[in-house]
Amino acid sequence: MVTDTSRGRGVTHMAGVVLAVVFLAAHLPFLPASLEDLDSINFALGVGHFDVAHHQPHPPGYPLYIALGKVAHRLIESEARALGSLGVVGGALAVFGLMAFFRALDADDRRTRTWSIAATLVATTAPLYWVTAARPLSDVPGLAAALAVQALTLSATSGAGVIAASGLSAFAAGIRSQVAWLTVPLLVLAIARRPNIERGRVLVRSMAAFLAGGLAWGLPLVALNGGPAAYWQALFNQGAEDLSGIRMLWTTPTPREFLLALYYAFVAPWALPAVAAILLVFALVGAVRLYQIARTTLATLMVAFAPYFVFDLLFQETVTTRYALPLVVPVAYLAVRGAALLGTAPAAVLIVGLALFDAHIGGTSIAAYARQDAPAFRLLEDMRTLAARPGTRPPARVLAMHRREDFDLRRPIAWLGDEMPTFVRRLPAPPKHEWLEVVKYWNSGGRDQVWFVADPLRSDLALVDRPGRAGAYRWPLEYPVLIGGLRPNEMDWYRLDPPNWFLGEGWALTPETAGVAEEDGHGPGRAPIRGWIRRRAEALTLVVGGRNFASDLAARVTIAVDGRTIDEPTVASGFFLRMLRLEPGALAGPGDYAEVTVSADTVRLKPDTTTDVPKPNTTTGAASAANDERGVRLQPDQTNDVRGVRLQPDQARVAIEQFDAQSDDRAVFGYGEGWQEPEHNPLTGALWRWTSERATLRVHAGGHPLTLTLAGEPPSVNFSKPSHVRISAGGRLIAEEALSSSFLVHATIPAELVGGGENLITIETDQIFVPAERRRRSRDRRHLGLRVFFCELKPAS
């Protein structure tokens, strides 16, 4: 006779088989097209030749995972697909480990069968679980092994079962070392729960089994890598690298980093904050319910996963989402227990609906992930292809990179080996000063093309005139947070010929370069800042603009070319912009480049009792008029008393935020009155400027009709109705639009409206807001209208 218990186990087993088969079928067509993360490259190198000292793979070595990889590689030629298949098979096998663990967790509850199936469904369809299983990494196989050991530990009815689980726990750490954080605490709890009479014996034998399980792979691992001293050195070097080169809460103990760590632990695994919020609310309800009726179960769950959570929170890279994979398990279980309080039918609808939605997110993500090679390998392949193309200019190339790319691309380059193009020189990549190595190269006479691999989040290449981007390499995932922390990640490739101009230290053209200048103590008020302009016979238009930050100091800004002063305005507090015409022959001289310098000194304004100097319009962020235009002129290093205004020398607080230099026949522009300072988001790399209600572009058109392109954020983010925007030039309206969504505006400006020397293009919007009037803690009184991410003026085609 078949009992209810055996029938229930059969149903659970069948549900597990169906879910595992569906998981396999949904993943096998989407194995990775290439290696991607540094760890995956290290694993692939280890499959070819196992050498932990050379990070093949990285310490501690993952010997059992590499052994499985070698077996898979015999069946599948591509290392990436072979290792990816291990993750897919591991994800399918973990279905049975999850069900067994959840059943054991609720062994005394007759409804455990339903809960175990539901919680397994939620966990295995979690977008992070779904995507990570397809990656050529050890995370999912390691989790599958850990779940099996956890299930065995909880279901052990005798000391022999606990002893066996101890041996398997240490053995499974040979797949992934983090397994120990998920299994050892539960083993300690299981031993503590044994009867007093056998606890000591079980403890000793469990320790012996654990030692044996670890030695089973540990001894061959150490022997194959040169003995204990060599292996320890490799392990020590890896630990030092992790603590110095990776951002984690332990090394960055700030509230922001703590909140970021919680986000990546509990929100990012579900891709969408809304989905995460639903699950976390039900998980909290489930935890409260367990505390009320089953504290032992809750305590067991906490022992199983809380130590790993603390380890992950403190000692693993904050933004690497895959490290949160084990935390999906307790969240799924608690969420199901919380949803169960809704009743059977509502809970079933909720759980199945969430699972289907999550599987859709995960499925579309792995389809996009597998569609093409990782960005780093696409970049290197494009480099190789271009270098090998017949007739490609010069065989001599110089390689430069941002610091992150310089580090992250070492393993992909090592993987490609002889397939990499050759370079005559590779420039250093000092942190935050990578562009400066290219400047030094050009100034030392280097004229070969520089191939610069750039971090898209960085903006220091704004210090080079119009760098030509050869390619942008991105992941096509709609939810990139699911592969957060991947290295190498996205990147840009620039092919830099010696440019029309380039700048050195102390310039503030972007918030990043402004921060570096401030950190280094460079700026026009401290010492002249330098740039270089290609020499030419024709006339030139030079644009220099920025801000005087001192509220009570006028700044004398000196602009010189080859040591010869060409402009020396005195500017009051606020914004300023100078557009200068250099006559033909002004750049004549030896060498390819003329040196331009900008320096500043200040004088204190002390209005007397009868005369006051008007303040610049800082509320709207308008560019202030130069004091020499008000009739106030200063002689160098001289105290003046002009119109009752006392001026005293002091150090200038001036930043140069705009620079351009183009021949007289080319279009050039600067941000004039009504534009705010440049801003950026360091997490996305986005750069923008706000307009006020009326913002002007000061333009030299070079005799061409122009096309103005503006792209920005939806005004509806700040306003309840569309913004009415007018663009005019030469006193004539040239474009008028109502903007209620992300905007991209193209406006053609006839040559007759921007003829001659300097002209104005005006952008007006009928809606602005003041942040301080909307947010109680804000002191920002600026008038903000349109948030402009892209502004370009070029000759109309």
Side-chain angles (χ1 to χ4, degrees):
M1 181 178 178
V2 179
T3 65
D4 288 342
T5 301
S6 62
R7 185 182 297 111
R9 288 176 179 173
V11 170
T12 304
H13 179 72
M14 182 57 65
V17 169
V18 170
L19 186 54
V21 169
V22 170
F23 189 89
L24 279 173
H27 280 76
L28 288 178
F30 302 110
L31 295 177
S34 73
L35 300 170
E36 26 100 311
D37 191 81
L38 292 179
D39 288 356
S40 72
I41 299 171
N42 291 338
F43 288 141
L45 290 168
V47 168
H49 176 65
F50 188 68
D51 186 348
V52 176
H54 290 87
H55 279 218
Q56 297 181 203
H58 46 291
Y62 308 84
L64 297 184
Y65 180 70
I66 294 298
L68 293 172
K70 287 180 177 289
V71 173
H73 188 39
R74 288 182 176 273
L75 303 174
I76 304 173
E77 182 178 1
S78 164
E79 291 89 347
R81 292 178 178 272
L83 294 174
S85 68
L86 293 182
V88 171
V89 172
L93 292 177
V95 169
F96 302 103
L98 284 165
M99 286 190 171
F101 172 75
F102 292 142
R103 284 201 310 270
L105 196 62
D106 287 317
D108 297 331
D109 197 309
R110 53 191 182 139
R111 293 166 294 181
T112 182
R113 181 180 76 243
T114 303
W115 285 335
S116 66
I117 295 173
T120 300
L121 181 65
V122 173
T124 54
T125 56
L128 180 63
Y129 186 100
W130 201 270
V131 169
T132 308
R135 298 178 63 185
L137 297 166
S138 64
D139 298 74
V140 172
L143 179 61
L147 289 168
V149 174
Q150 287 182 328
L152 178 60
T153 303
L154 289 183
S155 60
T157 57
S158 65
V162 176
I163 294 167
S166 298
L168 291 174
S169 170
F171 188 74
I175 299 176
R176 183 170 176 81
S177 58
Q178 286 91 331
V179 166
W181 289 95
L182 295 165
T183 57
V184 171
L186 207 54
L187 286 168
V188 172
L189 179 64
I191 294 171
R193 286 176 173 175
R194 301 306 304 171
N196 291 340
I197 194 171
E198 63 172 292
R199 188 177 300 148
R201 176 177 56 84
V202 172
L203 173 62
V204 172
R205 293 184 178 181
S206 293
M207 292 175 64
F210 190 87
L211 180 62
L215 291 176
W217 56 263
L219 288 177
L221 172 65
V222 173
L224 288 171
N225 287 278
Y231 179 75
W232 172 253
Q233 186 62 42
L235 200 64
F236 176 81
N237 290 342
Q238 175 71 23
E241 181 180 294
D242 284 350
L243 288 175
S244 61
I246 292 179
R247 189 179 180 92
M248 60 181 73
L249 188 59
W250 180 257
T251 57
T252 314
T254 63
R256 182 182 181 278
E257 195 70 17
F258 176 70
L259 293 175
L260 194 64
L262 291 180
Y263 168 81
Y264 275 94
F266 294 113
V267 178
W270 308 96
L272 289 173
V275 174
I278 294 171
L279 286 162
L280 291 174
V281 167
F282 278 105
L284 180 61
V285 172
V288 171
R289 182 60 175 166
L290 282 180
Y291 182 79
Q292 294 172 338
I293 66 171
R295 294 185 183 181
T296 300
T297 298
L298 182 62
T300 301
L301 189 68
M302 293 300 101
V303 169
F305 292 97
Y308 178 84
F309 167 64
V310 173
F311 168 73
D312 177 54
L313 195 72
L314 293 177
F315 299 111
Q316 299 198 110
E317 187 174 24
T318 302
V319 298
T320 302
T321 315
R322 61 186 173 91
Y323 291 154
L325 181 64
L327 303 179
V328 167
V329 177
V331 171
Y333 173 79
L334 291 173
V336 167
R337 291 298 300 259
L341 298 177
L342 297 174
T344 302
V349 171
L350 175 66
I351 291 168
V352 172
L354 283 173
L356 290 175
F357 183 77
D358 284 347
H360 169 72
I361 292 176
T364 55
S365 296
I366 62 169
Y369 167 82
R371 190 176 303 140
Q372 55 188 343
D373 289 358
F377 286 99
R378 281 186 276 131
L379 164 74
L380 296 177
E381 175 60 22
D382 286 351
M383 284 185 169
R384 189 192 66 80
T385 300
L386 181 62
R389 185 180 300 165
T392 298
R393 68 153 307 214
R397 288 171 293 271
V398 175
L399 182 63
M401 303 186 193
H402 278 135
R403 178 75 171 184
R404 190 183 78 170
E405 281 62 34
D406 184 70
F407 178 80
D408 290 349
L409 282 174
R410 292 176 187 176
R411 299 310 273 175
I413 289 173
W415 175 257
L416 290 179
D418 295 339
E419 296 181 19
M420 273 292 296
T422 57
F423 295 91
V424 296
R425 186 173 176 183
R426 180 166 178 172
L427 300 181
K432 303 180 185 179
H433 297 79
E434 299 90 341
W435 100 96
L436 202 56
E437 295 301 317
V438 184
V439 169
K440 293 176 182 177
Y441 171 73
W442 285 326
N443 280 335
S444 65
R447 294 295 179 263
D448 292 318
Q449 190 176 75
V450 177
W451 287 9
F452 197 106
V453 182
D455 182 347
L457 303 183
R458 301 283 302 278
S459 60
D460 56 339
L461 288 185
L463 300 176
V464 177
D465 179 37
R466 306 184 184 185
R469 190 167 70 176
Y473 300 88
R474 305 287 187 266
W475 285 103
L477 276 68
E478 186 175 354
Y479 306 100
V481 71
L482 296 174
I483 54 173
L486 184 147
R487 297 175 301 151
N489 202 349
E490 300 177 336
M491 57 196 67
D492 292 327
W493 173 26
Y494 292 87
R495 290 156 53 192
L496 306 177
D497 291 310
N500 284 325
W501 57 261
F502 54 92
L503 305 176
E505 298 176 279
W507 300 80
L509 268 59
T510 69
E512 178 195 343
T513 61
V516 171
E518 181 66 25
E519 185 177 297
D520 293 345
H522 294 143
R526 293 162 175 156
I529 58 175
R530 300 189 300 160
W532 295 267
I533 306 173
R534 182 183 291 278
R535 297 192 187 278
R536 67 203 73 184
E538 64 268 22
L540 180 86
T541 302
L542 177 66
V543 176
V544 177
R547 275 186 290 172
N548 176 8
F549 289 98
S551 61
D552 60 345
L553 295 173
R556 180 174 50 245
V557 178
T558 302
I559 305 169
V561 174
D562 287 336
R564 183 182 75 259
T565 298
I566 61 170
D567 192 37
E568 198 171 38
T570 302
V571 298
S573 175
F575 294 87
F576 65 90
L577 178 65
R578 307 294 289 176
M579 185 170 283
L580 309 172
R581 187 177 190 272
L582 277 62
E583 297 299 328
L587 295 183
D592 294 338
Y593 286 90
E595 182 180 82
V596 58
T597 60
V598 180
S599 60
D601 54 55
T602 60
V603 285
R604 187 176 301 277
L605 298 178
K606 290 186 177 180
D608 64 6
T609 57
T610 59
T611 305
D612 193 7
V613 175
K615 296 285 186 180
N617 190 351
T618 55
T619 300
T620 63
S624 61
N627 275 2
D628 61 330
E629 295 174 358
R630 296 177 182 171
V632 180
R633 287 190 175 275
L634 307 181
Q635 300 302 318
D637 303 319
Q638 179 180 340
T639 300
N640 292 268
D641 190 359
V642 183
R643 296 172 59 192
V645 180
R646 189 73 175 170
L647 306 172
Q648 299 175 348
D650 201 344
Q651 186 182 68
R653 294 178 56 222
V654 171
I656 304 301
E657 298 173 329
Q658 298 188 63
F659 183 90
D660 202 355
Q662 302 297 334
S663 296
D664 203 41
D665 61 346
R666 300 190 65 176
V668 61
F669 74 95
Y671 296 96
E673 182 181 15
W675 289 92
Q676 310 294 353
E677 64 272 19
E679 300 178 57
H680 85 306
N681 183 337
L683 297 179
T684 64
L687 291 160
W688 67 88
R689 285 178 183 263
W690 286 96
T691 72
S692 60
E693 50 266 71
R694 184 180 186 274
T696 62
L697 297 173
R698 292 170 63 179
V699 181
H700 171 77
H704 306 286
L706 300 176
T707 297
L708 171 65
T709 302
L710 290 176
E713 185 182 65
S716 57
V717 169
N718 301 297
F719 311 121
S720 58
K721 62 180 182 179
S723 292
H724 189 74
V725 177
R726 295 164 52 92
I727 302 174
S728 56
R732 185 191 304 177
L733 181 67
I734 59 173
E736 187 172 15
E737 293 193 30
L739 305 178
S740 59
S741 61
S742 295
F743 63 86
L744 179 62
V745 176
H746 296 282
T748 300
I749 305 167
E752 62 268 19
L753 298 183
V754 286
E758 182 181 329
N759 299 272
L760 293 181
I761 297 175
T762 304
I763 303 162
E764 298 174 281
T765 178
D766 64 343
Q767 296 189 102
I768 63 165
F769 72 99
V770 178
E773 296 175 358
R774 295 196 174 198
R775 297 190 293 269
R776 298 179 63 181
R777 295 185 179 181
S778 176
R779 300 176 63 184
D780 186 352
R781 303 297 307 179
R782 294 177 303 164
H783 289 192
L784 304 181
L786 302 177
R787 191 183 193 192
V788 178
F789 290 101
F790 180 79
C791 178
E792 181 184 63
L793 265 175
K794 63 181 182 179
S797 56

